Amino acid sequence: MAQVIADRRDIDFVLYEQLKADEMTRLDKYKDFNKKTFDMIITEARNFAIKELLPTNAEGDKEGLDFENGQVKVPDSFHRAYELFVEGEWTSLTEDPQWGGQGLPTNISQAVGEYLIGSNWAIANYAGMGHGTGKMIEIFGNQQQKDIFLKNLYTAKWGGTMLLTESQAGSDVGALSTSAVKNPDGTYSITGNKIFITNGEHDLAENIIHPVLARIEGDPPGTKGISIFLVPKIWVGEDGSLAEENDVVCTGIEEKMGIHASSTCSMTMGGNGKCRGLLLGDERQGMKIMFYMMNEARLGVGFQAFNYASTAYLYALNYARERVQGRDLESGKDPNAPQVAIIRHPDVRRMLLGMKAYVDGMRSFVYYVGRCLDKEGLADNEEEREFYKGFGDLLTPLVKAYCAQRGFDVCVSAVQVYGGYGYIKEYPVEQLVRDCKITSIYEGTDGIQAMDLLGRKLGMGKGRVFMNFLGEIQKTILLARGTQGLDGITAEFESAVNRLGEVALHIGKSALSPEFKVAFAHAFPFLEVMGDVVMAWMLLWRAALSKQKLDDGAKKKDVVYYEGQLKTAEFFMQTILPTTMGKMNSIAKGNGSAVEISEAAFGG
């Protein structure tokens, strides 16, 4: 049977051969699990996704949403799928069972997520977005808030959102105008408007809890004066019972390029003067709290983009094996030569191998960051915790922005493999292109992620975090050096790593100089080259492990898989990494044309 959505053999490789996720069961936190249990959970997720979720994806895209009188109705087929999603307890796999979670390691949750998100992201997001809302409450909320909201959010009985963006502010969150006035009973009256609110209104959950950024009357301007409030769609009593409507209203939904079944809403609070909210955490702590949710969301967006890429690659691969067109080049001009499957054509093979390289690399990358997050939480001491926290902070912009860019590129390549059929709705890849594009915009555009990487993350700990990152890469270089037959690609990779270190130092210094605008004009190219080096790192790591397995006499059924890992790494190092080196040379030159050209000279 052809693989769809995700390659299970590759998932198993990353989990058990590269990251050794089964060793987590030796820890007290995961002692109730074993590898067999992990495999059963992933298999059940795959079965559920293929049987129940995947058939609703194209239907949801075609049917879209219905908006009338402030209410949003999702596609009809989503209701059964959502109910099964909730009944199966797929919504908060890593959280404590006392709050409705399953207590799984992050990597196993990611493997499950590949199937659930890859089959129908819209449904998975309706069911899972309350997790981020709940996580903020778990960390910053008082006990009463935890008792009322947490389990309902983690189990998707209630939905969750993020109310940040306003039309006049956009990504400049500090310019928001939503206001809060304290009431005698300790609640706050909320007044304001928000736009681009994912899942702001829908008919799948009995209530929706909105975390809202607002400024308490009299607090200072900018981000320092922002607080965060929990604003339920339906007010919740102290005993957890539902009360009256809370004057938070959806005034419209957006008609989007893709993700047609996902509601993107404009929201008005306090239009009738009756919107109330509960302060979460302390006053003027809003941005600190929201960043916990945003960082989780940014990792989720990168994972979303990777899932689109994985699905698109497998569709394209299966199509290339089945589509017969043209004759093998070896046949020359012989008109009687039989036609062959298009996977026999060199240019199609080039596209497929490039897609495979990025999908494999992204899978290892996002799972690796997930493992770092678990290690941060399991650390025995503060030094170890800070080490892995630094990794998570440094790599989050890369997961979000790099996977968004390369995930979209893979989807575009999938359309190209299909040719004319890829551009029509009869086949699924045109939807994947449209759906994937949002990932480079969600949760701060990729340019903002690049500015974050250069302006904040690169210099963390006076550069120590970045040096730790290079140090971890060196461990893989040592592993590859000790593996016979990898000398060539290892040397090429090491040259790229050394050049990245030089360019990082150069652009970091430039960002602190009078030429800082020139440096930031190269921030996104720098994020891309750092992402390329991470891909090469992951692929070399895979190749070293695979070569060792082959040298040790791998099982016959695994030989082709391991050989594929070697060729994938070789392809990336020798056809993609040279371009990366050229980009790094360009960054080092620091051309200032983009900031020096006058506005009038742009023309138009």
Side-chain angles (χ1 to χ4, degrees):
M1 178 182 176
Q3 294 275 12
V4 293
I5 306 173
D7 187 330
R8 180 61 186 272
R9 177 64 183 90
D10 201 62
I11 289 174
D12 287 344
F13 175 85
V14 176
L15 285 178
Y16 303 126
E17 298 179 59
Q18 189 171 25
L19 298 180
K20 303 187 185 304
D22 48 329
E23 293 182 357
M24 301 285 279
T25 60
R26 301 174 187 173
L27 304 173
D28 286 342
K29 184 175 181 178
Y30 304 114
K31 64 182 180 182
D32 294 333
F33 297 103
N34 55 45
K35 183 178 180 296
K36 184 178 180 180
T37 308
F38 290 159
D39 288 341
M40 288 175 60
I41 292 170
I42 298 167
T43 298
E44 184 58 33
R46 180 182 182 274
N47 294 338
F48 170 56
I50 293 173
K51 180 181 178 181
E52 301 290 349
L53 300 182
L54 187 60
T56 66
N57 195 41
E59 184 177 341
D61 177 66
K62 182 179 180 180
E63 185 177 340
L65 303 161
D66 181 52
F67 175 72
E68 187 175 355
N69 297 325
Q71 296 184 331
V72 175
K73 294 183 179 179
V74 303
D76 291 340
S77 62
F78 278 29
H79 287 274
R80 168 182 161 80
Y82 185 87
E83 290 172 5
L84 293 173
F85 207 115
V86 174
E87 288 174 8
E89 300 182 348
W90 297 110
T91 58
S92 295
L93 295 173
T94 61
E95 301 306 333
D96 195 309
Q98 72 164 317
W99 299 117
Q102 302 301 310
L104 286 167
T106 298
N107 284 159
I108 306 303
S109 175
Q110 288 175 311
V112 168
E114 284 207 47
Y115 289 107
L116 303 183
I117 294 171
S119 58
N120 189 326
W121 173 83
I123 290 178
N125 194 46
Y126 282 124
M129 196 165 173
H131 177 269
T133 306
K135 199 64 183 175
M136 288 194 300
I137 296 171
E138 182 178 353
I139 296 172
F140 296 101
N142 58 44
Q143 191 58 50
Q144 185 180 47
Q145 291 170 343
K146 293 177 185 179
D147 292 340
I148 291 174
F149 296 108
L150 210 52
K151 190 168 184 177
N152 286 318
L153 286 165
Y154 279 164
T155 60
K157 182 180 181 181
W158 295 350
T161 63
M162 300 170 65
L163 270 65
L164 287 75
T165 307
E166 299 182 8
S167 58
Q168 82 288 347
S171 297
D172 183 11
V173 179
L176 62 77
S177 62
T178 300
S179 65
V181 178
K182 192 169 185 178
N183 299 317
D185 64 358
T187 64
Y188 288 76
S189 293
I190 310 295
T191 306
N193 300 284
K194 302 285 185 177
I195 63 169
F196 297 156
I197 306 305
T198 301
N199 300 348
E201 164 63 19
H202 57 84
D203 59 346
L204 291 171
E206 68 175 17
N207 201 5
I208 300 174
I209 310 304
H210 304 287
V212 178
L213 291 182
R215 196 183 318 278
I216 298 172
E217 275 196 346
D219 279 350
T223 56
K224 292 182 179 179
I226 294 176
S227 300
I228 190 167
F229 303 87
L230 299 174
V231 179
K233 173 185 175 181
I234 302 173
W235 189 254
V236 184
E238 293 184 0
D239 61 352
S241 62
L242 299 183
E244 70 278 3
E245 296 279 344
N246 191 34
D247 196 15
V248 52
V249 179
C250 175
T251 57
I253 59 174
E254 302 297 340
E255 293 290 336
K256 305 183 293 294
M257 171 182 170
I259 56 171
H260 291 158
S262 173
S263 60
T264 303
C265 305
S266 300
M267 308 293 294
T268 294
M269 293 160 288
N272 296 312
K274 297 180 180 180
C275 181
R276 291 183 291 166
L278 301 169
L279 180 68
L280 179 61
D282 297 327
E283 294 181 357
R284 296 176 295 283
Q285 201 181 14
M287 290 304 295
K288 174 184 175 183
I289 296 173
M290 185 58 79
F291 266 115
Y292 270 82
M293 187 177 190
M294 287 189 69
N295 283 335
E296 176 181 307
R298 286 169 176 172
L299 293 171
V301 168
F303 189 66
Q304 176 188 353
F306 153 66
N307 288 156
Y308 289 136
S310 172
T311 303
Y313 169 61
L314 290 176
Y315 277 133
L317 178 62
N318 292 334
Y319 182 80
R321 286 171 168 159
E322 296 170 357
R323 172 64 169 164
V324 175
Q325 183 180 353
R327 295 166 177 80
D328 197 305
L329 288 180
E330 292 179 351
S331 302
K333 298 181 179 181
D334 180 2
N336 297 314
Q339 291 195 329
V340 296
I342 62 173
I343 198 171
R344 296 276 295 274
H345 302 320
D347 190 59
V348 173
R349 297 171 74 85
R350 174 193 62 81
M351 288 190 286
L352 290 172
L353 190 49
M355 295 164 73
K356 173 177 167 54
Y358 283 120
V359 170
D360 286 1
M362 285 189 286
R363 177 173 285 118
S364 290
F365 181 33
V366 296
Y367 279 53
Y368 177 80
V369 174
R371 186 66 180 274
C372 288
L373 297 178
D374 274 350
K375 286 187 174 182
E376 176 191 345
L378 295 165
D380 293 328
N381 54 68
E382 186 63 19
E383 182 180 358
E384 184 181 6
R385 191 189 74 82
E386 285 297 320
F387 180 89
Y388 287 109
K389 182 181 185 304
F391 260 67
D393 290 344
L394 175 68
L395 297 177
T396 291
L398 283 171
V399 171
K400 192 280 180 190
Y402 186 85
C403 290
Q405 292 288 330
R406 296 294 87 84
F408 180 73
D409 290 345
V410 169
C411 292
V412 171
S413 291
V415 171
Q416 197 69 21
V417 170
Y418 274 79
Y421 286 113
Y423 198 63
I424 62 177
K425 291 181 180 294
E426 179 182 351
Y427 291 91
V429 289
E430 68 86 29
Q431 180 187 342
L432 291 171
V433 171
R434 290 185 288 105
D435 287 355
C436 190
K437 186 60 194 135
I438 189 60
T439 61
S440 61
I441 300 167
Y442 263 160
E443 308 309 331
T445 63
D446 289 352
I448 290 174
Q449 307 305 315
M451 292 173 67
D452 179 43
L453 177 64
L454 175 57
R456 295 188 181 96
K457 304 302 173 57
L458 201 59
M460 286 190 305
K462 298 182 178 180
R464 184 183 68 255
V465 173
F466 184 76
M467 294 306 296
N468 288 339
F469 161 73
L470 296 180
E472 289 299 298
I473 291 177
Q474 288 298 325
K475 293 179 182 178
T476 299
I477 291 175
L478 289 175
L479 173 67
R481 280 179 182 166
T483 305
Q484 188 175 2
L486 299 181
D487 293 348
I489 62 172
T490 302
E492 288 171 295
F493 173 61
E494 189 168 16
S495 295
V497 174
N498 292 337
R499 187 58 173 148
L500 177 66
E502 295 168 355
V503 170
L505 180 62
H506 168 79
I507 197 171
K509 287 182 177 180
S510 297
L512 299 174
S513 75
E515 299 297 314
F516 64 92
K517 285 189 176 182
V518 174
F520 278 96
H522 290 84
F524 184 74
F526 176 76
L527 182 147
E528 284 197 300
V529 299
M530 187 170 168
D532 284 349
V533 170
V534 169
M535 290 297 100
W537 171 24
M538 294 297 151
L539 294 174
L540 181 65
W541 187 358
R542 285 166 161 262
L545 295 174
S546 297
K547 186 61 166 62
Q548 289 178 354
K549 290 294 179 71
L550 289 170
D551 290 346
D552 291 341
K555 295 179 181 178
K556 185 177 181 180
K557 65 183 181 69
D558 291 325
V559 168
V560 171
Y561 174 81
Y562 292 133
E563 290 176 345
Q565 292 300 306
L566 297 178
K567 284 299 178 185
T568 303
E570 179 184 325
F571 176 85
F572 195 93
M573 302 300 177
Q574 297 187 354
T575 68
I576 296 176
L577 209 53
T579 302
T580 305
M581 294 291 279
K583 288 181 180 179
M584 286 195 277
N585 292 337
S586 172
I587 294 168
K589 288 180 180 179
N591 181 269
S593 298
V595 297
E596 293 165 0
I597 184 174
S598 68
E599 186 173 332
F602 278 103

